[in-house]
Amino acid sequence: MGQDSNETKTKRKRGGRSKEKKSTEKVVTTEEQKKQQQQQGNGSNPSKKKKSQEFCPFGNYKNYYGYRISNDMDEDPRLKVLKKEWFQGKDCLDIGCNSGVMTIHIGKKKFGCRSILGVDIDSSLIEVARWRLRNFIRTQNQGEKKTAAADGSKEQSLPLSDGSSSETKDLFQIVSFQKENFVHTRNPDENRYDTILCLSVTKWVHLNWGDDGLITLFSKIWRLLNPGGIFVMEPQPWKSYEKNRRVSETTAMNYRNIVLRPEHFQNILLDKIGFRTVEDLTSSLSGVSKGFDRQVLVFQK
Ligand SMILES: C[S@@+](CC[C@H](N)C(=O)[O-])C[C@H]1O[C@@H](n2cnc3c(N)ncnc32)[C@H](O)[C@@H]1O
């Protein structure tokens, strides 16, 4: 990180307290929320689900990458600003991995990480992520077999003994997924990581578990990182909280009580949590879809 010319040095301003907001908005009742969550978890007929954010109280959108990555994009624009040195030969964690698109990309040869674990609170998304990984590997293998057959080499076109090429076999060993509520379940004595990603997740933790949940998230990340480790965060701006505040009674209540605003996160991570430096990658991001032009910050422990 030190090599980078646009590295932002630690700015030591303390964030001010924000006024609590009064809210009279209608909230989704606990009964409604239960029904919605049951539908989500039990794999009920998706055609009957309303296309509404109220079914996704944790930002657990089923077609998230459908909104984020438009057809004219070759890949998620965030991948272009991530530096290989943060991943190559490293153990990585992707918190709130959704259906695993970013996690699998980072697991590929281009970034060369040693391992990457994607965790998400939503078990159905973890299933999709595992399916996506298997599907990617199968497609790769088929492509390689076709190429080998086109080359006319009988030997090459035969599958390897376990039916996979060495690269895709590696990918199975590198990438894994696990259902987990990161705020509640992770024991800090567990594995350590060199790089942790938390992309577009802070708002959901904040709305569901309030300021305490957010601080728990940041503290756990810090404890799970090896010395010198990297934390890549894409926080959602405060204005976007308003849109989602009514997804449940809990989020509506927490929204009213939130004091720490996203614009304070940088100082919290530096002054209170203990990260040494921060680098702002936002200016290098280009071509993001409308509504996803968010800050991307990289902290070093
Ligand atoms: C808006 S998506 C972002 C997906 C992905 N990180 C990206 O940016 O491409 C937020 C994800 O965070 C997950 N999430 C929210 N709270 C979580 C928690 N406490 N623990 C683990 N995952 C969580 C949601 O289920 C959802 O898949």
Side-chain angles (χ1 to χ4, degrees), residues 129-192:
R130 289 180 180 143
W131 170 86
R132 194 187 289 286
L133 178 64
R134 287 193 300 273
N135 198 43
F136 173 77
I137 290 172
R138 194 171 43 239
T139 316
Q140 282 276 103
N141 285 337
Q142 281 165 359
E144 279 170 20
K145 274 185 230 161
K146 271 190 200 145
T147 313
D151 286 350
S153 160
K154 197 180 165 195
E155 200 180 342
Q156 275 182 328
S157 67
L158 288 171
L160 296 174
S161 54
D162 62 355
S164 60
S165 73
S166 59
E167 188 187 348
T168 52
K169 198 167 71 180
D170 283 348
L171 203 61
F172 261 140
Q173 284 156 6
I174 293 166
V175 183
S176 56
F177 294 101
Q178 184 175 299
K179 183 216 177 261
E180 179 178 325
N181 175 355
F182 187 80
V183 178
H184 283 159
T185 52
R186 199 161 263 266
N187 174 355
D189 296 331
E190 284 174 22
N191 297 337
R192 292 281 188 278

Short mmCIF file of all heavy atoms in Angstrom, two decimals, residues 129-192:
data_model
loop_
_atom_site.label_atom_id
_atom_site.label_comp_id
_atom_site.label_asym_id
_atom_site.label_seq_id
_atom_site.Cartn_x
_atom_site.Cartn_y
_atom_site.Cartn_z
N ALA A 129 -24.40 -19.73 -4.31
CA ALA A 129 -22.97 -19.48 -4.49
C ALA A 129 -22.22 -20.80 -4.72
O ALA A 129 -21.36 -20.88 -5.61
CB ALA A 129 -22.40 -18.76 -3.27
N ARG A 130 -22.59 -21.84 -3.98
CA ARG A 130 -21.94 -23.15 -4.16
C ARG A 130 -22.27 -23.71 -5.54
O ARG A 130 -21.42 -24.27 -6.22
CB ARG A 130 -22.38 -24.12 -3.07
CG ARG A 130 -21.78 -23.76 -1.72
CD ARG A 130 -22.21 -24.74 -0.66
NE ARG A 130 -21.63 -24.37 0.62
CZ ARG A 130 -22.25 -24.49 1.79
NH1 ARG A 130 -23.47 -24.99 1.85
NH2 ARG A 130 -21.63 -24.13 2.90
N TRP A 131 -23.53 -23.53 -5.93
CA TRP A 131 -23.95 -24.01 -7.25
C TRP A 131 -23.16 -23.25 -8.34
O TRP A 131 -22.69 -23.83 -9.30
CB TRP A 131 -25.46 -23.77 -7.43
CG TRP A 131 -25.93 -24.01 -8.83
CD1 TRP A 131 -26.30 -25.19 -9.37
CD2 TRP A 131 -26.01 -23.03 -9.88
NE1 TRP A 131 -26.62 -25.02 -10.70
CE2 TRP A 131 -26.44 -23.70 -11.03
CE3 TRP A 131 -25.75 -21.66 -9.95
CZ2 TRP A 131 -26.62 -23.04 -12.25
CZ3 TRP A 131 -25.93 -21.00 -11.15
CH2 TRP A 131 -26.37 -21.70 -12.29
N ARG A 132 -23.02 -21.94 -8.14
CA ARG A 132 -22.31 -21.10 -9.12
C ARG A 132 -20.86 -21.57 -9.28
O ARG A 132 -20.33 -21.63 -10.37
CB ARG A 132 -22.35 -19.65 -8.65
CG ARG A 132 -21.96 -18.63 -9.69
CD ARG A 132 -21.87 -17.25 -9.08
NE ARG A 132 -23.13 -16.65 -8.72
CZ ARG A 132 -24.02 -16.16 -9.58
NH1 ARG A 132 -23.77 -16.21 -10.87
NH2 ARG A 132 -25.13 -15.61 -9.16
N LEU A 133 -20.25 -21.91 -8.16
CA LEU A 133 -18.85 -22.37 -8.19
C LEU A 133 -18.75 -23.69 -8.97
O LEU A 133 -17.90 -23.84 -9.85
CB LEU A 133 -18.33 -22.54 -6.75
CG LEU A 133 -16.90 -23.05 -6.60
CD1 LEU A 133 -15.89 -22.07 -7.19
CD2 LEU A 133 -16.57 -23.32 -5.13
N ARG A 134 -19.66 -24.63 -8.64
CA ARG A 134 -19.63 -25.92 -9.35
C ARG A 134 -19.87 -25.71 -10.83
O ARG A 134 -19.19 -26.29 -11.68
CB ARG A 134 -20.73 -26.86 -8.80
CG ARG A 134 -20.45 -27.43 -7.43
CD ARG A 134 -21.41 -28.57 -7.12
NE ARG A 134 -22.81 -28.16 -7.13
CZ ARG A 134 -23.47 -27.66 -6.09
NH1 ARG A 134 -22.84 -27.49 -4.93
NH2 ARG A 134 -24.73 -27.32 -6.18
N ASN A 135 -20.83 -24.84 -11.13
CA ASN A 135 -21.18 -24.59 -12.52
C ASN A 135 -20.02 -23.94 -13.28
O ASN A 135 -19.73 -24.31 -14.41
CB ASN A 135 -22.40 -23.66 -12.54
CG ASN A 135 -23.09 -23.68 -13.87
OD1 ASN A 135 -23.27 -24.74 -14.44
ND2 ASN A 135 -23.45 -22.51 -14.37
N PHE A 136 -19.36 -23.00 -12.64
CA PHE A 136 -18.21 -22.33 -13.27
C PHE A 136 -17.13 -23.37 -13.59
O PHE A 136 -16.56 -23.39 -14.68
CB PHE A 136 -17.66 -21.25 -12.33
CG PHE A 136 -16.38 -20.64 -12.84
CD1 PHE A 136 -16.41 -19.72 -13.87
CD2 PHE A 136 -15.16 -21.04 -12.33
CE1 PHE A 136 -15.22 -19.18 -14.37
CE2 PHE A 136 -13.98 -20.51 -12.82
CZ PHE A 136 -14.01 -19.58 -13.84
N ILE A 137 -16.86 -24.24 -12.62
CA ILE A 137 -15.81 -25.23 -12.82
C ILE A 137 -16.19 -26.21 -13.92
O ILE A 137 -15.37 -26.55 -14.78
CB ILE A 137 -15.51 -25.95 -11.47
CG1 ILE A 137 -14.82 -24.95 -10.54
CG2 ILE A 137 -14.68 -27.20 -11.66
CD1 ILE A 137 -14.61 -25.40 -9.12
N ARG A 138 -17.47 -26.62 -13.94
CA ARG A 138 -17.92 -27.55 -14.98
C ARG A 138 -17.78 -26.91 -16.36
O ARG A 138 -17.27 -27.50 -17.29
CB ARG A 138 -19.38 -27.96 -14.71
CG ARG A 138 -19.82 -29.15 -15.53
CD ARG A 138 -21.18 -29.68 -15.13
NE ARG A 138 -22.16 -28.64 -14.89
CZ ARG A 138 -22.79 -28.47 -13.74
NH1 ARG A 138 -22.53 -29.26 -12.73
NH2 ARG A 138 -23.67 -27.51 -13.60
N THR A 139 -18.21 -25.64 -16.47
CA THR A 139 -18.14 -24.95 -17.75
C THR A 139 -16.70 -24.82 -18.23
O THR A 139 -16.39 -25.01 -19.40
CB THR A 139 -18.78 -23.54 -17.64
OG1 THR A 139 -19.98 -23.67 -16.91
CG2 THR A 139 -19.08 -22.94 -18.98
N GLN A 140 -15.82 -24.48 -17.27
CA GLN A 140 -14.39 -24.37 -17.59
C GLN A 140 -13.87 -25.68 -18.16
O GLN A 140 -13.18 -25.70 -19.16
CB GLN A 140 -13.56 -24.11 -16.31
CG GLN A 140 -13.57 -22.75 -15.78
CD GLN A 140 -12.54 -21.87 -16.47
OE1 GLN A 140 -12.96 -21.08 -17.29
NE2 GLN A 140 -11.29 -21.97 -16.15
N ASN A 141 -14.23 -26.77 -17.46
CA ASN A 141 -13.74 -28.09 -17.87
C ASN A 141 -14.22 -28.44 -19.26
O ASN A 141 -13.46 -28.93 -20.09
CB ASN A 141 -14.20 -29.17 -16.89
CG ASN A 141 -13.41 -29.10 -15.61
OD1 ASN A 141 -12.30 -28.58 -15.59
ND2 ASN A 141 -13.97 -29.61 -14.53
N GLN A 142 -15.51 -28.13 -19.51
CA GLN A 142 -16.06 -28.45 -20.84
C GLN A 142 -15.33 -27.66 -21.91
O GLN A 142 -14.97 -28.19 -22.95
CB GLN A 142 -17.56 -28.16 -20.87
CG GLN A 142 -18.35 -29.26 -20.20
CD GLN A 142 -19.78 -28.85 -19.89
OE1 GLN A 142 -20.18 -27.71 -20.16
NE2 GLN A 142 -20.54 -29.76 -19.31
N GLY A 143 -15.08 -26.37 -21.60
CA GLY A 143 -14.35 -25.51 -22.55
C GLY A 143 -12.98 -26.07 -22.83
O GLY A 143 -12.54 -26.13 -23.98
N GLU A 144 -12.30 -26.49 -21.77
CA GLU A 144 -10.94 -27.02 -21.95
C GLU A 144 -10.95 -28.30 -22.76
O GLU A 144 -10.10 -28.52 -23.61
CB GLU A 144 -10.29 -27.26 -20.58
CG GLU A 144 -9.73 -25.97 -20.01
CD GLU A 144 -9.30 -26.09 -18.56
OE1 GLU A 144 -9.07 -27.22 -18.11
OE2 GLU A 144 -9.20 -25.05 -17.91
N LYS A 145 -11.97 -29.15 -22.51
CA LYS A 145 -12.04 -30.42 -23.25
C LYS A 145 -12.28 -30.15 -24.73
O LYS A 145 -11.67 -30.76 -25.59
CB LYS A 145 -13.17 -31.29 -22.69
CG LYS A 145 -12.72 -32.12 -21.50
CD LYS A 145 -13.81 -33.04 -21.06
CE LYS A 145 -14.02 -32.91 -19.57
NZ LYS A 145 -15.30 -33.41 -19.13
N LYS A 146 -13.18 -29.16 -25.00
CA LYS A 146 -13.47 -28.82 -26.41
C LYS A 146 -12.20 -28.32 -27.09
O LYS A 146 -11.90 -28.70 -28.21
CB LYS A 146 -14.55 -27.74 -26.48
CG LYS A 146 -15.93 -28.31 -26.51
CD LYS A 146 -16.94 -27.23 -26.83
CE LYS A 146 -18.31 -27.68 -26.38
NZ LYS A 146 -19.13 -26.61 -25.88
N THR A 147 -11.46 -27.44 -26.39
CA THR A 147 -10.23 -26.89 -26.98
C THR A 147 -9.25 -28.02 -27.26
O THR A 147 -8.64 -28.09 -28.33
CB THR A 147 -9.56 -25.90 -25.99
OG1 THR A 147 -10.57 -25.03 -25.51
CG2 THR A 147 -8.45 -25.12 -26.64
N ALA A 148 -9.14 -28.93 -26.32
CA ALA A 148 -8.21 -30.03 -26.48
C ALA A 148 -8.64 -30.90 -27.68
O ALA A 148 -7.81 -31.31 -28.49
CB ALA A 148 -8.15 -30.86 -25.21
N ALA A 149 -9.97 -31.13 -27.79
CA ALA A 149 -10.47 -31.95 -28.89
C ALA A 149 -10.19 -31.26 -30.22
O ALA A 149 -9.77 -31.89 -31.20
CB ALA A 149 -11.96 -32.19 -28.72
N ALA A 150 -10.39 -29.92 -30.24
CA ALA A 150 -10.14 -29.17 -31.47
C ALA A 150 -8.66 -29.23 -31.86
O ALA A 150 -8.31 -29.21 -33.03
CB ALA A 150 -10.57 -27.72 -31.29
N ASP A 151 -7.81 -29.34 -30.84
CA ASP A 151 -6.36 -29.46 -31.11
C ASP A 151 -6.02 -30.82 -31.71
O ASP A 151 -4.91 -31.03 -32.17
CB ASP A 151 -5.55 -29.34 -29.80
CG ASP A 151 -5.51 -27.91 -29.31
OD1 ASP A 151 -5.93 -27.02 -30.08
OD2 ASP A 151 -5.08 -27.69 -28.16
N GLY A 152 -6.98 -31.75 -31.64
CA GLY A 152 -6.76 -33.07 -32.22
C GLY A 152 -5.94 -34.00 -31.34
O GLY A 152 -5.51 -35.07 -31.77
N SER A 153 -5.71 -33.60 -30.14
CA SER A 153 -4.92 -34.46 -29.26
C SER A 153 -5.85 -35.33 -28.43
O SER A 153 -6.55 -34.86 -27.56
CB SER A 153 -4.05 -33.61 -28.33
OG SER A 153 -3.67 -34.38 -27.23
N LYS A 154 -5.85 -36.63 -28.76
CA LYS A 154 -6.76 -37.55 -28.09
C LYS A 154 -6.45 -37.59 -26.59
O LYS A 154 -7.33 -37.56 -25.75
CB LYS A 154 -6.56 -38.94 -28.70
CG LYS A 154 -7.69 -39.89 -28.40
CD LYS A 154 -7.43 -41.22 -29.04
CE LYS A 154 -8.35 -42.27 -28.45
NZ LYS A 154 -7.90 -43.60 -28.77
N GLU A 155 -5.18 -37.59 -26.32
CA GLU A 155 -4.77 -37.70 -24.92
C GLU A 155 -5.27 -36.51 -24.11
O GLU A 155 -5.85 -36.64 -23.05
CB GLU A 155 -3.26 -37.79 -24.85
CG GLU A 155 -2.80 -38.39 -23.54
CD GLU A 155 -1.29 -38.48 -23.50
OE1 GLU A 155 -0.65 -38.40 -24.55
OE2 GLU A 155 -0.76 -38.60 -22.41
N GLN A 156 -5.07 -35.30 -24.71
CA GLN A 156 -5.47 -34.10 -23.98
C GLN A 156 -6.97 -34.02 -23.77
O GLN A 156 -7.43 -33.47 -22.79
CB GLN A 156 -5.04 -32.86 -24.77
CG GLN A 156 -3.61 -32.48 -24.49
CD GLN A 156 -3.27 -31.22 -25.26
OE1 GLN A 156 -3.79 -30.99 -26.34
NE2 GLN A 156 -2.40 -30.43 -24.71
N SER A 157 -7.74 -34.56 -24.76
CA SER A 157 -9.18 -34.41 -24.66
C SER A 157 -9.78 -35.35 -23.61
O SER A 157 -10.92 -35.20 -23.22
CB SER A 157 -9.84 -34.66 -26.01
OG SER A 157 -9.67 -36.00 -26.36
N LEU A 158 -9.01 -36.30 -23.15
CA LEU A 158 -9.52 -37.18 -22.10
C LEU A 158 -9.56 -36.43 -20.78
O LEU A 158 -8.65 -35.66 -20.47
CB LEU A 158 -8.60 -38.41 -21.94
CG LEU A 158 -8.64 -39.43 -23.06
CD1 LEU A 158 -7.52 -40.45 -22.87
CD2 LEU A 158 -9.99 -40.12 -23.11
N PRO A 159 -10.61 -36.66 -20.00
CA PRO A 159 -10.64 -35.98 -18.71
C PRO A 159 -9.52 -36.47 -17.80
O PRO A 159 -9.06 -37.60 -17.92
CB PRO A 159 -12.00 -36.35 -18.12
CG PRO A 159 -12.44 -37.55 -18.88
CD PRO A 159 -11.76 -37.53 -20.21
N LEU A 160 -9.09 -35.58 -16.89
CA LEU A 160 -8.12 -36.04 -15.90
C LEU A 160 -8.81 -37.07 -15.01
O LEU A 160 -10.02 -37.19 -14.99
CB LEU A 160 -7.65 -34.85 -15.05
CG LEU A 160 -6.90 -33.77 -15.82
CD1 LEU A 160 -6.62 -32.59 -14.92
CD2 LEU A 160 -5.61 -34.31 -16.39
N SER A 161 -8.02 -37.80 -14.25
CA SER A 161 -8.58 -38.93 -13.50
C SER A 161 -9.81 -38.54 -12.66
O SER A 161 -10.75 -39.28 -12.54
CB SER A 161 -7.51 -39.53 -12.60
OG SER A 161 -6.98 -38.50 -11.81
N ASP A 162 -9.80 -37.34 -12.06
CA ASP A 162 -10.96 -36.94 -11.26
C ASP A 162 -11.91 -36.04 -12.04
O ASP A 162 -12.78 -35.41 -11.48
CB ASP A 162 -10.49 -36.22 -9.99
CG ASP A 162 -9.73 -34.95 -10.31
OD1 ASP A 162 -9.50 -34.70 -11.51
OD2 ASP A 162 -9.38 -34.22 -9.38
N GLY A 163 -11.71 -35.96 -13.34
CA GLY A 163 -12.64 -35.20 -14.18
C GLY A 163 -12.43 -33.70 -14.13
O GLY A 163 -13.25 -32.94 -14.57
N SER A 164 -11.33 -33.22 -13.58
CA SER A 164 -11.15 -31.77 -13.54
C SER A 164 -9.72 -31.40 -13.91
O SER A 164 -8.80 -32.18 -13.73
CB SER A 164 -11.44 -31.26 -12.13
OG SER A 164 -10.56 -31.86 -11.23
N SER A 165 -9.58 -30.18 -14.43
CA SER A 165 -8.24 -29.72 -14.75
C SER A 165 -7.58 -29.23 -13.48
O SER A 165 -8.25 -29.01 -12.47
CB SER A 165 -8.33 -28.56 -15.75
OG SER A 165 -8.79 -27.44 -15.06
N SER A 166 -6.27 -29.02 -13.52
CA SER A 166 -5.60 -28.62 -12.29
C SER A 166 -6.08 -27.24 -11.84
O SER A 166 -6.25 -26.98 -10.67
CB SER A 166 -4.10 -28.63 -12.48
OG SER A 166 -3.77 -27.76 -13.51
N GLU A 167 -6.37 -26.33 -12.80
CA GLU A 167 -6.78 -24.98 -12.38
C GLU A 167 -8.13 -24.99 -11.67
O GLU A 167 -8.31 -24.40 -10.62
CB GLU A 167 -6.83 -24.04 -13.58
CG GLU A 167 -7.05 -22.62 -13.10
CD GLU A 167 -7.29 -21.61 -14.18
OE1 GLU A 167 -7.05 -21.93 -15.35
OE2 GLU A 167 -7.72 -20.51 -13.84
N THR A 168 -9.09 -25.72 -12.29
CA THR A 168 -10.41 -25.73 -11.68
C THR A 168 -10.42 -26.55 -10.40
O THR A 168 -11.17 -26.26 -9.48
CB THR A 168 -11.48 -26.24 -12.67
OG1 THR A 168 -11.03 -27.48 -13.18
CG2 THR A 168 -11.70 -25.26 -13.79
N LYS A 169 -9.57 -27.58 -10.37
CA LYS A 169 -9.47 -28.35 -9.14
C LYS A 169 -8.97 -27.43 -8.02
O LYS A 169 -9.48 -27.41 -6.92
CB LYS A 169 -8.50 -29.51 -9.34
CG LYS A 169 -8.66 -30.61 -8.30
CD LYS A 169 -7.94 -31.86 -8.70
CE LYS A 169 -6.44 -31.66 -8.59
NZ LYS A 169 -5.68 -32.84 -8.96
N ASP A 170 -8.00 -26.59 -8.37
CA ASP A 170 -7.49 -25.64 -7.39
C ASP A 170 -8.60 -24.73 -6.89
O ASP A 170 -8.66 -24.42 -5.73
CB ASP A 170 -6.40 -24.74 -8.01
CG ASP A 170 -5.09 -25.49 -8.11
OD1 ASP A 170 -5.00 -26.57 -7.51
OD2 ASP A 170 -4.19 -25.00 -8.80
N LEU A 171 -9.45 -24.30 -7.82
CA LEU A 171 -10.51 -23.36 -7.45
C LEU A 171 -11.43 -23.96 -6.38
O LEU A 171 -11.87 -23.27 -5.46
CB LEU A 171 -11.30 -22.96 -8.69
CG LEU A 171 -12.04 -21.64 -8.59
CD1 LEU A 171 -11.10 -20.48 -8.35
CD2 LEU A 171 -12.87 -21.38 -9.83
N PHE A 172 -11.69 -25.26 -6.48
CA PHE A 172 -12.47 -25.94 -5.44
C PHE A 172 -11.75 -25.88 -4.10
O PHE A 172 -12.38 -25.82 -3.05
CB PHE A 172 -12.69 -27.41 -5.80
CG PHE A 172 -14.04 -27.68 -6.40
CD1 PHE A 172 -14.16 -28.57 -7.46
CD2 PHE A 172 -15.18 -27.07 -5.92
CE1 PHE A 172 -15.40 -28.83 -8.03
CE2 PHE A 172 -16.42 -27.32 -6.48
CZ PHE A 172 -16.53 -28.20 -7.53
N GLN A 173 -10.44 -25.95 -4.16
CA GLN A 173 -9.68 -25.91 -2.90
C GLN A 173 -9.55 -24.48 -2.37
O GLN A 173 -9.36 -24.26 -1.18
CB GLN A 173 -8.29 -26.52 -3.10
CG GLN A 173 -8.36 -28.03 -3.17
CD GLN A 173 -7.21 -28.65 -3.92
OE1 GLN A 173 -6.27 -27.96 -4.30
NE2 GLN A 173 -7.28 -29.95 -4.13
N ILE A 174 -9.63 -23.51 -3.27
CA ILE A 174 -9.41 -22.11 -2.88
C ILE A 174 -10.70 -21.46 -2.35
O ILE A 174 -10.69 -20.78 -1.34
CB ILE A 174 -8.87 -21.30 -4.09
CG1 ILE A 174 -7.46 -21.79 -4.44
CG2 ILE A 174 -8.87 -19.81 -3.82
CD1 ILE A 174 -6.97 -21.32 -5.79
N VAL A 175 -11.80 -21.66 -3.09
CA VAL A 175 -13.04 -20.93 -2.78
C VAL A 175 -13.99 -21.81 -1.97
O VAL A 175 -14.23 -22.96 -2.33
CB VAL A 175 -13.75 -20.49 -4.09
CG1 VAL A 175 -15.00 -19.68 -3.78
CG2 VAL A 175 -12.81 -19.70 -5.00
N SER A 176 -14.54 -21.24 -0.89
CA SER A 176 -15.58 -21.98 -0.16
C SER A 176 -16.61 -20.98 0.37
O SER A 176 -16.34 -19.78 0.44
CB SER A 176 -14.97 -22.79 0.98
OG SER A 176 -14.23 -21.95 1.83
N PHE A 177 -17.75 -21.52 0.72
CA PHE A 177 -18.85 -20.66 1.19
C PHE A 177 -19.45 -21.24 2.47
O PHE A 177 -19.50 -22.46 2.65
CB PHE A 177 -19.94 -20.57 0.11
CG PHE A 177 -19.48 -19.86 -1.13
CD1 PHE A 177 -19.10 -20.57 -2.27
CD2 PHE A 177 -19.39 -18.48 -1.17
CE1 PHE A 177 -18.66 -19.92 -3.41
CE2 PHE A 177 -18.95 -17.81 -2.30
CZ PHE A 177 -18.58 -18.53 -3.43
N GLN A 178 -19.91 -20.36 3.31
CA GLN A 178 -20.45 -20.78 4.60
C GLN A 178 -21.58 -19.84 5.02
O GLN A 178 -21.41 -18.63 4.91
CB GLN A 178 -19.30 -20.68 5.59
CG GLN A 178 -19.56 -21.14 6.98
CD GLN A 178 -18.25 -21.08 7.78
OE1 GLN A 178 -17.27 -21.75 7.43
NE2 GLN A 178 -18.22 -20.26 8.80
N LYS A 179 -22.67 -20.41 5.50
CA LYS A 179 -23.75 -19.56 6.02
C LYS A 179 -23.34 -19.05 7.41
O LYS A 179 -22.96 -19.85 8.27
CB LYS A 179 -25.05 -20.36 6.14
CG LYS A 179 -26.19 -19.51 6.61
CD LYS A 179 -27.13 -20.24 7.51
CE LYS A 179 -28.21 -19.34 8.02
NZ LYS A 179 -28.10 -18.78 9.27
N GLU A 180 -23.42 -17.77 7.60
CA GLU A 180 -23.01 -17.23 8.88
C GLU A 180 -23.55 -15.81 9.07
O GLU A 180 -23.50 -15.00 8.15
CB GLU A 180 -21.47 -17.19 8.92
CG GLU A 180 -20.91 -16.63 10.18
CD GLU A 180 -19.37 -16.66 10.18
OE1 GLU A 180 -18.77 -17.60 9.64
OE2 GLU A 180 -18.80 -15.72 10.73
N ASN A 181 -24.06 -15.54 10.25
CA ASN A 181 -24.34 -14.15 10.62
C ASN A 181 -23.05 -13.62 11.25
O ASN A 181 -22.75 -13.92 12.41
CB ASN A 181 -25.49 -14.09 11.62
CG ASN A 181 -25.72 -12.67 12.10
OD1 ASN A 181 -24.96 -11.75 11.77
ND2 ASN A 181 -26.75 -12.47 12.89
N PHE A 182 -22.33 -12.86 10.51
CA PHE A 182 -20.99 -12.44 10.95
C PHE A 182 -21.03 -11.65 12.26
O PHE A 182 -20.11 -11.71 13.06
CB PHE A 182 -20.32 -11.61 9.85
CG PHE A 182 -18.90 -11.27 10.14
CD1 PHE A 182 -17.89 -12.20 9.93
CD2 PHE A 182 -18.55 -10.03 10.67
CE1 PHE A 182 -16.56 -11.90 10.23
CE2 PHE A 182 -17.23 -9.72 10.97
CZ PHE A 182 -16.23 -10.66 10.75
N VAL A 183 -22.11 -10.92 12.48
CA VAL A 183 -22.20 -10.08 13.68
C VAL A 183 -22.28 -10.94 14.95
O VAL A 183 -21.75 -10.58 15.99
CB VAL A 183 -23.43 -9.14 13.61
CG1 VAL A 183 -23.58 -8.30 14.86
CG2 VAL A 183 -23.33 -8.24 12.40
N HIS A 184 -22.92 -12.09 14.84
CA HIS A 184 -23.16 -12.89 16.04
C HIS A 184 -22.28 -14.12 16.21
O HIS A 184 -22.05 -14.56 17.32
CB HIS A 184 -24.62 -13.35 16.08
CG HIS A 184 -25.53 -12.23 16.50
ND1 HIS A 184 -26.87 -12.22 16.23
CD2 HIS A 184 -25.26 -11.08 17.17
CE1 HIS A 184 -27.39 -11.12 16.72
NE2 HIS A 184 -26.45 -10.40 17.27
N THR A 185 -21.86 -14.71 15.12
CA THR A 185 -21.36 -16.08 15.27
C THR A 185 -19.85 -16.27 15.23
O THR A 185 -19.38 -17.34 15.55
CB THR A 185 -21.95 -17.00 14.18
OG1 THR A 185 -21.72 -16.38 12.93
CG2 THR A 185 -23.42 -17.24 14.41
N ARG A 186 -19.11 -15.28 14.82
CA ARG A 186 -17.70 -15.59 14.61
C ARG A 186 -16.88 -15.42 15.88
O ARG A 186 -16.95 -14.42 16.57
CB ARG A 186 -17.10 -14.73 13.49
CG ARG A 186 -15.85 -15.31 12.96
CD ARG A 186 -15.58 -14.72 11.63
NE ARG A 186 -16.06 -15.60 10.58
CZ ARG A 186 -15.28 -16.48 9.99
NH1 ARG A 186 -14.04 -16.63 10.34
NH2 ARG A 186 -15.75 -17.23 9.03
N ASN A 187 -16.13 -16.45 16.15
CA ASN A 187 -15.27 -16.44 17.33
C ASN A 187 -13.91 -15.86 16.94
O ASN A 187 -13.24 -16.40 16.06
CB ASN A 187 -15.14 -17.90 17.81
CG ASN A 187 -14.17 -18.03 18.95
OD1 ASN A 187 -13.50 -17.07 19.33
ND2 ASN A 187 -14.09 -19.22 19.49
N PRO A 188 -13.48 -14.80 17.60
CA PRO A 188 -12.23 -14.15 17.18
C PRO A 188 -10.98 -15.03 17.33
O PRO A 188 -9.94 -14.71 16.80
CB PRO A 188 -12.14 -12.92 18.07
CG PRO A 188 -13.15 -13.09 19.12
CD PRO A 188 -14.14 -14.11 18.69
N ASP A 189 -11.11 -16.16 18.06
CA ASP A 189 -9.94 -17.04 18.18
C ASP A 189 -9.77 -17.95 16.98
O ASP A 189 -8.83 -18.73 16.91
CB ASP A 189 -10.07 -17.92 19.44
CG ASP A 189 -10.06 -17.05 20.67
OD1 ASP A 189 -9.44 -15.98 20.63
OD2 ASP A 189 -10.70 -17.44 21.66
N GLU A 190 -10.73 -17.88 16.07
CA GLU A 190 -10.66 -18.75 14.89
C GLU A 190 -9.56 -18.28 13.93
O GLU A 190 -8.74 -17.46 14.29
CB GLU A 190 -11.99 -18.71 14.16
CG GLU A 190 -13.07 -19.52 14.84
CD GLU A 190 -14.39 -19.32 14.15
OE1 GLU A 190 -14.41 -18.93 12.97
OE2 GLU A 190 -15.41 -19.55 14.81
N ASN A 191 -9.65 -18.77 12.69
CA ASN A 191 -8.66 -18.43 11.66
C ASN A 191 -8.43 -16.94 11.54
O ASN A 191 -9.33 -16.15 11.78
CB ASN A 191 -9.18 -18.88 10.27
CG ASN A 191 -9.36 -20.36 10.22
OD1 ASN A 191 -8.74 -21.08 11.00
ND2 ASN A 191 -10.20 -20.81 9.32
N ARG A 192 -7.24 -16.61 11.11
CA ARG A 192 -6.94 -15.20 10.81
C ARG A 192 -6.88 -15.04 9.28
O ARG A 192 -6.66 -16.01 8.57
CB ARG A 192 -5.58 -14.82 11.40
CG ARG A 192 -5.56 -14.77 12.91
CD ARG A 192 -6.18 -13.47 13.41
NE ARG A 192 -6.02 -13.31 14.84
CZ ARG A 192 -6.79 -13.87 15.76
NH1 ARG A 192 -7.78 -14.64 15.41
NH2 ARG A 192 -6.56 -13.67 17.05
#
